Amino acid sequence: MIAVLRRLLIGRPLETARMEHEKVGQFGGLAVFAADAMSSVAYGPEEVLLVLMLAGSAGLAYGVPVGIALAILIAIVATSYRQTVQEYPSGGGAYVVAHANLGVLPAHIAGGALLTDYVLTVAVSVASGVAAITSAWPGLHEHRVALAVCFIVLIMLVNLRGVRESAGIFSLPVYGFIFCCLATILAGFAKLMAGHLEPGLPSQLPVALQGVTAFLVLRAFSSGCASLTGIEAVANGVQAFKEPRGKTAAAVMVWLALILATTVIGVSVLAHWLGIAPAEKVTVLSQIGEKVFGRGTMYYLLQTTTALILIFAANTSFADFPRLSAFMARDGYMPRQMANLGDRLVFANGIIMLAGLAIALIVGFEGDVSRLIPLYAVGVFTAFTTSQAGMVIHWIRKGGPHWHYKVIVNGLGALCTGVVLIVIAVTKFAYGAWIVCLIIPVLVMIFRSIGKHYRYVASRLSLDNASAVQPHHNLTVLLVGGMHRGTLEALQYVKALSHDVRAVHVEAEGAQDPRIRRLWDAWEHDIPLTVIESPYRNLAGPLLEYCAKLKQQEGYDIVTIVIPEFVVDDVWQSLLHNHTALWLQVSLRTVTDVAVVNLRYRL
Amino acid sequence: MIAVLRRLLIGRPLETARMEHEKVGQFGGLAVFAADAMSSVAYGPEEVLLVLMLAGSAGLAYGVPVGIALAILIAIVATSYRQTVQEYPSGGGAYVVAHANLGVLPAHIAGGALLTDYVLTVAVSVASGVAAITSAWPGLHEHRVALAVCFIVLIMLVNLRGVRESAGIFSLPVYGFIFCCLATILAGFAKLMAGHLEPGLPSQLPVALQGVTAFLVLRAFSSGCASLTGIEAVANGVQAFKEPRGKTAAAVMVWLALILATTVIGVSVLAHWLGIAPAEKVTVLSQIGEKVFGRGTMYYLLQTTTALILIFAANTSFADFPRLSAFMARDGYMPRQMANLGDRLVFANGIIMLAGLAIALIVGFEGDVSRLIPLYAVGVFTAFTTSQAGMVIHWIRKGGPHWHYKVIVNGLGALCTGVVLIVIAVTKFAYGAWIVCLIIPVLVMIFRSIGKHYRYVASRLSLDNASAVQPHHNLTVLLVGGMHRGTLEALQYVKALSHDVRAVHVEAEGAQDPRIRRLWDAWEHDIPLTVIESPYRNLAGPLLEYCAKLKQQEGYDIVTIVIPEFVVDDVWQSLLHNHTALWLQVSLRTVTDVAVVNLRYRL
């Protein structure tokens, strides 16, 4: 039944040999990797304005400078990462770069930070996507948590089925969204120039709760930094690009940075000129769209592509999180199961774990983007900083032509992202970043102890100093429940299996049943039957005592307990039986020097 | 962890030899068995008045005649049952009597009816007990469902610990309640005579929704019949009485009938004279107590003993339901597990099942006694009728002195209870009795199919026509995951176990690992290693295919698959491993002709 449901939802298993990667060029690559970064335009400027609004319209005036600062940061990080992707054509994620150049601890920090941020990307993107939908259709507002959970489950199922990151699928929403954004910005500017739109202050002037402080502006800037998460995604996925991989990835990086920076500045400036302030139930992008186009086709197109690109942005994390977990699992820092390939050649456990964590976040924060944003970006800037710092070490060690120049580029990247990281951590700490500042060290500790455990297991399993194989001295014990046809089959089996067999009946009902010995003597002459009492009506205890006594007295190394069990036709029938064999197996699971044979016979 | 919790809640296991029964005399017996019957005084008269109230004060006037009719019915049933308990001193429940005299189908009907009613007894008693508490402390009214569930869980735990039906524990609430009831009735009459209390109509005169009809009065009478459930309890538990068991039980029956009839009439008359009508949040008994005593010590004592006796009444079902289930399980009509003695020598599965069903009822009916009552009493009167009819057959077959007289007594009992059964079923059908009329036949069908299954299993396991034991031809296959110390231990084991061994490695990762064959050849020279490919990365499929091929080609009867597995220290560590052995065992569970050996080794 479960198997049928699984086939229906996930599809039939795929052969390992069918594992393949579609290679993307510049156009396709931008489609696949821009979703994560571009989607942040849908909520980034809004979160900037939400913070600035605390200082009233005086605060909102800082929207444009913050947008320009973000664009500059995007340019610096993209330039720095261009070097990384060209140097690590098989994937230059922060974990890999840090592991190669800085050592285990920085790699763990980068890994923990990235995993945290991937979970947040899913939660924030889906919550924003739902916000775009509820801006257009406000009746859905109260169902936003349920809607978001449904989307995450849907994305999870799609990923468990194993969508390749197909450029074809991504092109429509990503280029559609880019087109809609640029169209909105251009149309907005054109209409402002032509005087069809009135520049002005927000219709409902926000009340200033505080003055404009440097801290407030920096906090607004920190909120906007969420836009940079997508750049790491390109570096993670270099191996998906067509040859020359590094060059293609670097070109995509430049295009992405250009479009992203343009859009961020464009939206910021337009929001300022149109006098738009964040509102509770309508997103800033939706307000801009409505002012520029009215509630027409273009407006609904903008909202739809916004929702779509946000869902696809979440999908990017569903590729990155399981891949990074599998990397770390292979290095022995995450549970080995994370590296298991599922039926459809995807890292199913990672996908399920990501969905579970993102759903927990959505439910815990009631699907509220503004409450999730302060947790966001700490992780990715930690990863940026370790990754760029790793590149600096890489160039110093490697040298090569122009290495001084390259050290300066990556060094500038590391410095800027490091400073921004501190700014983010400090300005958002009290608003939720403390949670991430707590989680990352905890994750690092977990990675370390997992690594320690696997190294311990490997050392214990090592063949070094192992002695040659000497046969054990084994005794086979047949557990007899009663004398019936199944017992005869079991006797046939144990006689074939082993020459040293005893039979045991555990008397758990209190009263001795003389029938069993009489029947045994009638049917079996070679193997002796021992009846042992079980005052507490359990089987495992007296059985193990009996085995231990035999091992001690007669010098056996190991005892093989054969437990016969009959198989009924269906689940309902199996409810009518005690499943003594199963329970016994479960209670013997942790016992060593005892091997348990599960012998089934048909009725 | 689970084991510790279990010890804490339920206590350490008891030896089978410690199974014993406390024998009770008349005084103790009345305490133990009166709880169920007496407790119905707390809700019976109320439910009668609730129905009569539909016809306004004209209806309420019928409260006294209905009370008298109930008292007469009690006398008839008790007289009839006196003969049963003397004739079946080892327990004369309806199931046993019907099984012995009427055959399997009537026994199944009686059994299904009784099991249904036991569940209802728990639900109704606990709901009424909670109503007694919330009458005195109305603030708890909104938490009544949670409170009732807590009580049921508590009673379940106490019963899983295994309280003997100790007369000592029962005496206080039962005799306390009887004392309080009689005191209330006597004080009420005395104060009425002395003129301290005004006889009168209800302060809020109920509006007549319909006229007084025979149907209405009969429906009221049916609701009152709930009071008779306890009589069956005495018959079920005859073996708990001191010798001469039958006589002692019969005497207790008389005392119980006398007190019960007196109280029912007393409460009915008092309610009528005091002009009491049922109210939503205060029980009738509570209203009477308040009028007679005021909100003083005696009032709170009455409420407390009422709540206590109701909880103890539920406890009676916790003895009867598991005992009857175990009876029926031993006869092969209920799942065998119901007859398993738990750690504390109680039928734990029956106790848990009863608690689960009662909680489902309480939650489903929102802890509302009036909605549960229509389902009640159909079962117990079905049991009465079959039991008394069985006794009629018994006397006719057995004969003996005065058998004609005995046939007449039991025949009258059967006739009266049969008529009442029809009255109950008809008058309450639309109000909920249809549920029980549906459940009983379904249960009978289930009992029949369970019986059929067990007979089928027994016939298949029978040794009749079985042939003598011939050894099988067995092949042992060692599953090799990789070459490590554990593999060497497994080799030692299989060499001791069997002479016909093959080793198999399933290549699930896609790429062939040449290391394993090299290491195998270095360490093992006798047993050949076969490497099989698994294109879909599962183990069970290719392994079974390999075994099937060998069986077919080389004529083996059975294959023993040895699966080595290492044991880690704790649960957290075990989360870090794939548990291939366990999964493989689970997926091989339904396969026959393959025995699976679970070989564990310490690191």
Side-chain angles (χ1 to χ4, degrees):
Chain A
M1 209 166 59
I2 292 170
V4 168
L5 195 70
R6 190 169 158 167
R7 284 296 150 272
L8 214 71
L9 289 174
I10 299 174
R12 58 177 187 75
L14 295 177
E15 280 181 59
T16 314
R18 285 187 54 185
M19 187 118 170
E20 61 191 11
H21 292 287
E22 186 195 358
K23 299 292 179 194
V24 291
Q26 285 188 30
F27 183 83
L30 191 58
V32 171
F33 291 105
D36 189 1
M38 282 306 297
S39 67
S40 58
V41 173
Y43 51 85
E46 167 144 22
E47 296 300 325
V48 170
L49 294 180
L50 259 178
V51 174
L52 291 174
M53 200 168 61
L54 292 175
S57 43
L60 288 182
Y62 281 82
V64 176
V66 167
I68 292 171
L70 284 172
I72 293 170
L73 186 63
I74 290 168
I76 292 171
V77 173
T79 312
S80 182
Y81 255 95
R82 279 190 66 225
Q83 297 191 159
T84 311
V85 294
Q86 288 179 308
E87 201 63 18
Y88 285 89
S90 58
Y95 171 75
V96 173
V97 175
H99 202 263
N101 299 299
L102 300 176
V104 173
L105 183 64
H108 283 175
I109 293 172
L114 280 174
L115 291 177
T116 314
D117 244 42
Y118 291 146
V119 177
L120 282 161
T121 300
V122 175
V124 169
S125 301
V126 171
S128 304
V130 170
I133 294 171
T134 57
S135 294
W137 293 276
L140 294 169
H141 187 72
E142 59 178 313
H143 303 295
R144 62 191 189 285
V145 171
L147 213 59
V149 170
C150 287
F151 274 124
I152 294 176
V153 170
L154 194 76
I155 301 171
M156 181 190 79
L157 287 176
V158 167
N159 277 279
L160 285 176
R161 280 196 85 95
V163 280
R164 296 279 135 249
E165 286 176 335
S166 157
I169 300 175
F170 274 76
S171 295
L172 186 71
V174 172
Y175 286 110
F177 179 72
I178 293 175
F179 167 77
C180 284
C181 274
L182 294 178
T184 309
I185 292 166
L186 288 177
F189 284 146
K191 286 190 178 177
L192 275 169
M193 301 290 174
H196 293 307
L197 274 174
E198 283 293 306
L201 289 169
S203 51
Q204 290 177 304
L205 207 70
V207 184
L209 300 171
Q210 60 163 102
V212 180
T213 58
F215 185 84
L216 189 79
V217 175
L218 285 175
R219 215 184 116 204
F221 171 76
S222 301
S223 289
C225 283
S227 298
L228 277 86
T229 46
I231 290 172
E232 170 75 19
V234 179
N236 257 327
V238 190
Q239 58 186 14
F241 286 96
K242 278 191 186 135
E243 293 292 352
R245 285 190 230 168
K247 281 238 163 94
T248 320
V252 166
M253 195 78 92
V254 172
W255 276 111
L256 175 60
L258 271 176
I259 298 172
L260 187 59
T262 311
T263 330
V264 166
I265 293 181
V267 170
S268 304
V269 172
L270 210 51
H272 180 63
W273 282 356
L274 294 175
I276 281 167
E280 200 202 338
K281 291 193 179 174
V282 190
T283 63
V284 164
L285 202 60
S286 166
Q287 290 185 54
I288 295 178
E290 201 173 346
K291 278 217 176 178
V292 172
F293 297 118
R295 283 225 164 205
T297 314
M298 266 309 287
Y299 168 75
Y300 282 104
L301 195 63
L302 177 67
Q303 289 308 102
T304 311
T305 53
T306 307
L308 271 178
I309 200 174
L310 283 162
I311 304 292
F312 275 84
N315 194 68
T316 308
S317 279
F318 271 90
D320 288 338
F321 181 98
R323 183 162 48 199
L324 179 55
S325 311
F327 267 144
M328 294 183 72
R330 279 183 193 145
D331 288 349
Y333 301 123
M334 289 268 279
R336 218 159 261 182
Q337 292 93 318
M338 306 303 284
N340 290 359
L341 277 178
D343 280 354
R344 305 284 290 186
L345 299 171
V346 293
F347 300 116
N349 292 324
I351 291 172
I352 293 166
M353 186 186 264
L354 174 61
L357 291 171
I359 287 175
L361 268 183
I362 289 274
V363 172
F365 287 80
E366 289 165 348
D368 187 342
V369 179
S370 300
R371 286 174 59 198
L372 284 165
I373 282 287
L375 281 71
Y376 205 25
V378 174
V380 82
F381 275 84
T382 307
F384 282 157
T385 310
T386 43
S387 162
Q388 300 316 305
M391 287 308 291
V392 171
I393 304 294
H394 174 78
W395 295 123
I396 291 173
R397 282 199 194 140
K398 188 186 171 191
H402 312 302
W403 71 272
H404 284 105
Y405 165 75
K406 287 168 177 166
V407 164
I408 290 168
V409 169
N410 282 132
L412 182 68
L415 189 71
C416 288
T417 52
V419 169
V420 172
L421 171 61
I422 293 166
V423 169
I424 295 174
V426 170
T427 57
K428 290 172 155 190
F429 192 82
Y431 301 94
W434 63 270
I435 301 176
V436 179
C437 295
L438 208 74
I439 286 175
I440 294 175
V442 170
L443 283 177
V444 169
M445 267 169 10
I446 292 174
F447 298 150
R448 290 179 78 88
S449 58
I450 289 176
K452 203 175 137 197
H453 172 74
Y454 282 135
R455 281 195 303 279
Y456 166 75
V457 170
S459 75
R460 299 299 301 177
L461 289 179
S462 160
L463 286 176
D464 301 342
N465 307 320
S467 47
V469 176
Q470 293 294 331
H472 269 309
H473 193 194
N474 172 64
L475 171 70
T476 303
V477 171
L478 172 64
L479 187 69
V480 178
M483 273 310 283
H484 49 67
R485 235 172 235 268
T487 313
L488 298 189
E489 278 203 37
L491 276 169
Q492 293 181 311
Y493 172 72
V494 289
K495 285 185 176 185
L497 185 71
S498 174
H499 296 289
D500 200 354
V501 183
R502 314 276 169 97
V504 165
H505 173 69
V506 180
E507 188 56 66
E509 290 290 303
Q512 278 262 11
D513 183 2
R515 252 165 42 103
I516 186 160
R517 181 168 294 286
R518 208 179 58 231
L519 281 166
W520 182 270
D521 293 338
W523 285 91
E524 176 58 44
H525 309 293
D526 304 333
I527 301 175
L529 175 73
T530 310
V531 176
I532 47 182
E533 297 275 331
S534 172
Y536 294 96
R537 300 169 304 287
N538 70 337
L539 255 68
L543 193 61
L544 283 177
E545 255 172 55
Y546 170 80
C547 295
K549 209 177 67 188
L550 277 179
K551 276 200 287 193
Q552 200 194 7
Q553 289 177 353
E554 308 186 22
Y556 292 107
D557 300 307
I558 191 161
V559 177
T560 303
I561 302 178
V562 179
I563 309 175
E565 179 187 21
F566 57 82
V567 180
V568 288
D569 296 338
D570 57 44
V571 175
W572 297 114
Q573 291 187 6
S574 83
L575 284 181
L576 298 177
H577 297 279
N578 267 319
H579 301 285
T580 315
L582 182 65
W583 287 115
L584 197 51
Q585 267 186 295
V586 170
S587 42
L588 294 179
R589 260 196 76 79
T590 52
V591 181
T592 49
D593 295 336
V594 163
V596 176
V597 184
N598 187 223
L599 180 68
R600 287 162 308 276
Y601 51 90
R602 276 198 208 87
L603 280 181
Chain B
M1 209 166 59
I2 293 170
V4 169
L5 194 68
R6 191 169 155 165
R7 286 294 152 270
L8 214 70
L9 289 175
I10 299 176
R12 57 175 188 74
L14 294 177
E15 280 181 58
T16 314
R18 286 187 52 185
M19 187 120 169
E20 62 191 13
H21 292 287
E22 185 195 357
K23 300 294 177 192
V24 290
Q26 286 188 30
F27 184 84
L30 191 58
V32 170
F33 291 105
D36 190 359
M38 282 305 299
S39 67
S40 58
V41 173
Y43 51 85
E46 167 145 24
E47 296 299 326
V48 170
L49 294 181
L50 260 176
V51 175
L52 291 174
M53 199 168 61
L54 293 174
S57 43
L60 288 182
Y62 281 82
V64 176
V66 166
I68 292 169
L70 285 170
I72 293 170
L73 186 63
I74 291 168
I76 293 171
V77 173
T79 311
S80 182
Y81 256 96
R82 277 190 68 224
Q83 297 191 161
T84 311
V85 293
Q86 288 179 307
E87 202 61 18
Y88 285 90
S90 58
Y95 171 75
V96 173
V97 174
H99 202 263
N101 299 298
L102 300 175
V104 172
L105 184 63
H108 283 176
I109 294 172
L114 279 174
L115 291 177
T116 314
D117 243 42
Y118 291 145
V119 177
L120 282 161
T121 300
V122 174
V124 170
S125 300
V126 171
S128 304
V130 170
I133 294 172
T134 56
S135 294
W137 294 276
L140 293 169
H141 187 72
E142 60 178 313
H143 303 296
R144 61 191 189 286
V145 171
L147 213 59
V149 170
C150 288
F151 274 123
I152 293 176
V153 171
L154 193 76
I155 301 171
M156 182 190 79
L157 287 176
V158 167
N159 278 279
L160 286 175
R161 279 195 86 95
V163 280
R164 297 281 135 246
E165 288 176 331
S166 158
I169 299 175
F170 274 75
S171 296
L172 186 71
V174 172
Y175 286 111
F177 179 71
I178 293 174
F179 166 76
C180 286
C181 274
L182 295 178
T184 308
I185 293 166
L186 289 178
F189 284 146
K191 287 190 178 175
L192 276 169
M193 301 291 173
H196 294 309
L197 276 172
E198 283 293 305
L201 290 168
S203 51
Q204 290 177 306
L205 207 68
V207 184
L209 300 172
Q210 61 164 102
V212 180
T213 59
F215 185 84
L216 189 79
V217 176
L218 286 174
R219 214 183 116 205
F221 170 75
S222 301
S223 291
C225 284
S227 299
L228 277 87
T229 47
I231 290 172
E232 170 75 18
V234 178
N236 259 326
V238 190
Q239 57 186 13
F241 286 95
K242 276 189 189 138
E243 292 293 352
R245 285 190 231 168
K247 283 237 164 92
T248 319
V252 166
M253 194 79 89
V254 173
W255 276 112
L256 175 60
L258 271 177
I259 298 172
L260 187 58
T262 310
T263 330
V264 166
I265 294 182
V267 171
S268 304
V269 172
L270 211 52
H272 179 63
W273 282 355
L274 293 175
I276 282 166
E280 200 201 338
K281 291 193 177 172
V282 190
T283 63
V284 165
L285 201 59
S286 165
Q287 290 184 54
I288 294 178
E290 201 172 348
K291 278 218 176 177
V292 172
F293 298 119
R295 285 225 162 205
T297 313
M298 265 310 286
Y299 168 75
Y300 283 104
L301 196 64
L302 177 67
Q303 289 308 103
T304 311
T305 52
T306 306
L308 270 178
I309 201 175
L310 283 161
I311 304 292
F312 274 84
N315 194 67
T316 308
S317 279
F318 272 91
D320 287 338
F321 182 99
R323 184 163 45 197
L324 179 55
S325 313
F327 266 142
M328 295 184 71
R330 279 182 195 146
D331 288 348
Y333 301 124
M334 289 268 280
R336 219 159 262 182
Q337 292 93 318
M338 306 302 284
N340 290 358
L341 277 178
D343 280 354
R344 304 284 290 187
L345 298 171
V346 294
F347 300 116
N349 292 323
I351 291 172
I352 293 166
M353 186 186 264
L354 175 61
L357 292 170
I359 287 175
L361 269 182
I362 289 274
V363 173
F365 287 80
E366 291 165 347
D368 187 342
V369 179
S370 300
R371 287 173 58 199
L372 285 164
I373 281 287
L375 282 72
Y376 204 28
V378 173
V380 81
F381 273 84
T382 307
F384 281 156
T385 310
T386 43
S387 160
Q388 301 315 304
M391 287 307 292
V392 170
I393 304 294
H394 174 78
W395 295 123
I396 290 173
R397 282 196 195 143
K398 187 186 169 192
H402 312 300
W403 72 270
H404 284 104
Y405 165 77
K406 287 168 177 166
V407 165
I408 291 169
V409 168
N410 283 130
L412 183 69
L415 189 73
C416 288
T417 52
V419 170
V420 171
L421 171 61
I422 294 166
V423 169
I424 295 175
V426 169
T427 56
K428 291 170 152 188
F429 192 83
Y431 302 94
W434 63 270
I435 301 174
V436 179
C437 294
L438 209 74
I439 286 174
I440 293 175
V442 170
L443 283 177
V444 169
M445 269 169 11
I446 292 174
F447 299 149
R448 290 179 77 89
S449 57
I450 289 176
K452 204 175 137 197
H453 173 73
Y454 283 134
R455 282 195 301 280
Y456 167 74
V457 170
S459 75
R460 300 298 301 175
L461 289 179
S462 160
L463 286 176
D464 301 342
N465 307 319
S467 48
V469 177
Q470 293 294 332
H472 270 308
H473 192 193
N474 172 64
L475 171 70
T476 303
V477 170
L478 173 64
L479 186 70
V480 178
M483 272 311 282
H484 49 67
R485 233 173 237 269
T487 313
L488 298 190
E489 277 204 38
L491 277 169
Q492 292 180 310
Y493 172 72
V494 290
K495 286 186 175 184
L497 185 70
S498 175
H499 296 290
D500 200 353
V501 183
R502 314 279 168 97
V504 165
H505 173 69
V506 179
E507 187 57 67
E509 290 289 306
Q512 278 263 12
D513 182 2
R515 249 166 44 104
I516 186 161
R517 183 168 294 287
R518 207 179 60 232
L519 280 168
W520 183 268
D521 293 339
W523 284 90
E524 177 58 44
H525 310 293
D526 303 331
I527 302 174
L529 176 73
T530 310
V531 175
I532 48 182
E533 297 275 329
S534 172
Y536 295 97
R537 300 169 303 287
N538 69 337
L539 254 69
L543 193 60
L544 283 178
E545 256 174 55
Y546 171 79
C547 293
K549 210 178 66 188
L550 277 179
K551 276 200 286 192
Q552 202 194 5
Q553 288 177 354
E554 308 187 21
Y556 291 105
D557 300 307
I558 192 161
V559 177
T560 303
I561 302 178
V562 179
I563 309 174
E565 180 189 20
F566 57 83
V567 180
V568 290
D569 295 339
D570 58 45
V571 176
W572 298 113
Q573 291 187 7
S574 83
L575 285 179
L576 298 176
H577 297 278
N578 266 320
H579 301 284
T580 315
L582 182 65
W583 287 115
L584 198 52
Q585 266 187 297
V586 169
S587 42
L588 294 180
R589 259 195 77 78
T590 51
V591 182
T592 49
D593 296 337
V594 163
V596 177
V597 184
N598 187 224
L599 180 68
R600 289 163 307 274
Y601 50 89
R602 278 200 206 84
L603 282 179

